Amino acid sequence: MTPVLDVRDVGKVYGSGDATVHALRGVSLTVERGDYLAIMGASGSGKSTLMNILGCLDIPSTGSYHVDGTDVGALGDRQLAVLRNRKIGFVFQSFNLIPRMTALANVELPLAYGGVGASARRARALAALDQVGLSDRTHHDPNELSGGQQQRVAVARALVTAPSLLLADEPTGNLDTKSTTDVLRILDRLSDAGRTIVLITHEDDVAGHAKRIIRLIDGRIVEDHRQAPVDGPPPRLASVTP
């Protein structure tokens, strides 16, 4: 089976001469379908640069990178935008919801960009919001939701296109303890259901939910091991069909 991510000897260099910064140095990793991977590292370790490359938001200086069998280096800007829309669901620390749009409209947005018709968009967005336990908040604007609820809307938005990869960048960084638990339980349940998840974090307790941990130092992978994820009773989640 084709891996969801196949990264080979990727390097990323910024600047030149005395100002040269090697953000990544020969990073190689493979993420199989259904894996739940946490990428860890201190500030300056290269984890944010790696996330941007995995999300096709940046391109490597050297090496190759395939998403679901597609060679990202062979794609133009328009093709990259289509790949991001169809293959990758993003969850960011700052939620990135549009303030004057309802939760439902925010979740529909990737489908609108992808050309999905209005009735299908609505049905899929409602199903995604139900999946994260927010079917009673569909018509609330972001400022009417708690931080944890906003992040759950962001997770629903990431899921609504049925992407090959869910890429979460410090998804609990702006949340209180209870909201953090709620979001991590949702990610646990999605992993149990077979979703492929890559989580960027610097927190050990968050990384403890993953099946595999990769640690970066100075742009290099210095640790890659599997673990038994922490136990916890996840909430009931409905399935979302493409």
Side-chain angles (χ1 to χ4, degrees), residues 48-63:
S48 294
T49 300
L50 180 57
M51 186 217 71
N52 287 335
I53 290 174
L54 296 182
C56 301
L57 301 169
D58 198 358
I59 58 174
S61 303
T62 57

Side-chain angles (χ1 to χ4, degrees), residues 146-170:
S146 69
Q149 289 171 334
Q150 289 184 61
Q151 191 61 296
R152 283 191 277 157
V153 172
V155 172
R157 181 184 57 192
L159 293 173
V160 76
T161 59
S164 301
L165 171 67
L166 184 64
L167 186 58
D169 181 22
E170 301 280 5

Side-chain angles (χ1 to χ4, degrees), residues 14-172:
Y14 297 101
S16 60
D18 292 341
T20 298
V21 174
H22 292 269
L24 294 176
R25 302 169 182 263
V27 169
S28 296
L29 67 95
T30 301
V31 179
E32 301 293 345
R33 208 163 304 276
D35 209 353
Y36 186 0
L37 169 67
I39 298 176
M40 303 192 71
S43 177
S45 64
K47 67 180 188 300
S48 294
T49 300
L50 180 57
M51 186 217 71
N52 287 335
I53 290 174
L54 296 182
C56 301
L57 301 169
D58 198 358
I59 58 174
S61 303
T62 57
S64 65
Y65 172 41
H66 290 71
V67 177
D68 217 13
T70 299
D71 182 357
V72 174
L75 302 181
D77 290 344
R78 183 177 178 82
Q79 292 169 309
L80 279 173
V82 171
L83 183 143
R84 283 193 298 267
N85 179 265
R86 296 180 179 175
K87 297 289 187 179
I88 304 172
F90 294 93
V91 181
F92 297 103
Q93 177 176 344
S94 57
F95 319 141
N96 288 6
L97 301 179
I98 297 178
R100 296 187 180 182
M101 294 177 66
T102 65
L104 180 62
N106 269 282
V107 176
E108 285 185 13
L109 205 55
L111 298 175
Y113 289 148
V116 177
S119 60
R121 285 202 310 266
R122 182 180 178 85
R124 289 170 62 174
L126 287 170
L129 285 164
D130 182 58
Q131 191 176 16
V132 298
L134 288 177
S135 57
D136 60 341
R137 295 289 187 271
T138 56
H139 298 296
H140 287 64
D141 290 345
N143 64 3
E144 299 173 310
L145 302 173
S146 69
Q149 289 171 334
Q150 289 184 61
Q151 191 61 296
R152 283 191 277 157
V153 172
V155 172
R157 181 184 57 192
L159 293 173
V160 76
T161 59
S164 301
L165 171 67
L166 184 64
L167 186 58
D169 181 22
E170 301 280 5
T172 63

Side-chain angles (χ1 to χ4, degrees), residues 34 62 75 89 114 125 152 185 191 196 227:
T62 57
L75 302 181
R152 283 191 277 157
R185 284 179 173 176
S191 175
T196 307
Q227 64 179 9

